[in-house]
Amino acid sequence: MTTTLAIANQKGGVAKTTSVASLGAALAELGHRVLLVDLDPQACLTFSLGIDPEDLELSVHHVLTKRTDPAEVILHTEDGVDLLPATIELARAEADLLTRTGREHVLSAVLEDVDDYDWVLLDCPPSLGVLTVAALTAADGVLVPLQCETLSHRGVGQLLDTVHDVRRFTNKDLEVWGVLPTLYDGRTTHARTVLETISETYGLDVIEPPIPKTIKFAEAPAAGRSILATSRSSKGAQAYREVAVHLAERAARSRRP
Ligand SMILES: Nc1ncnc2c1ncn2[C@@H]1O[C@H](COP(=O)(O)OP(=O)(O)OP(=O)(O)O)[C@@H](O)[C@H]1O
Ligand SMILES: [Mg+2]
């Protein structure tokens, strides 16, 4: 059985892509088979895994809008995970899909034919547009990376409204797995307070441990590998490994009848 998680927050720069790459690598280290899907036309995930989007002829755009077989597009990466890559062409998919009936279901339909994985992690773009809604429609759960700063909760309500609509209209089984604190500065009590406020206001679980802010993360994408490979024993890598273990435990619980 596959567990599909959307990593979503319409706020930019909250470590969605970093979390997808790092959790993917951490789950692969645990022996799980992992597919990452880049749903952002900026293609940062694709780039950060060492693939130059400009070199690609086929991408997730073709799979979503031209019915290309995902098996023709999926790449193996050095991080031990597979990737359905994006290119800037994906920017057109949003417009192409807008007029299509059933557009919310395009990704779930594609993923139904891809069944060799324990995990599919969906890297959402920083918007609540067609691609994010398609990701939420295809997902079993959603993980919300959040930077613990005063204004960071302003978008959470909107995201949860979208989740609510998705549950109502396109995917009644979607579950919010929780908030993942990222870019966390443990030296301040402020971060902890913001986190508590958000979890109380919205009734969300907080996934532990928080991912510490460290310069190592800025260096990893240039190396084309996740921080788990470039900085194996750093606190950030270790935190993502612990989060991956918690995700695996939760998936095992929900797989049991
Ligand atoms: N724990 C961390 N410590 C320090 N820097 C980090 C950390 N996590 C991510 N970053 C850096 O923060 C920036 C934004 O991260 P990332 O691209 O993962 O966010 P995103 O939410 O996917 O952004 P976008 O909304 O543009 O897709 C990147 O430069 C990344 O290297
Ligand atoms: Mg991103």
Side-chain angles (χ1 to χ4, degrees), residues 21-37:
S22 305
L23 291 173
L27 289 165
E29 278 183 3
L30 293 173
H32 297 233
R33 295 160 305 166
V34 181
L35 174 67
L36 308 183
V37 182

Side-chain angles (χ1 to χ4, degrees), residues 154 206 250:
R154 288 179 51 84
V206 175
R250 173 160 182 165

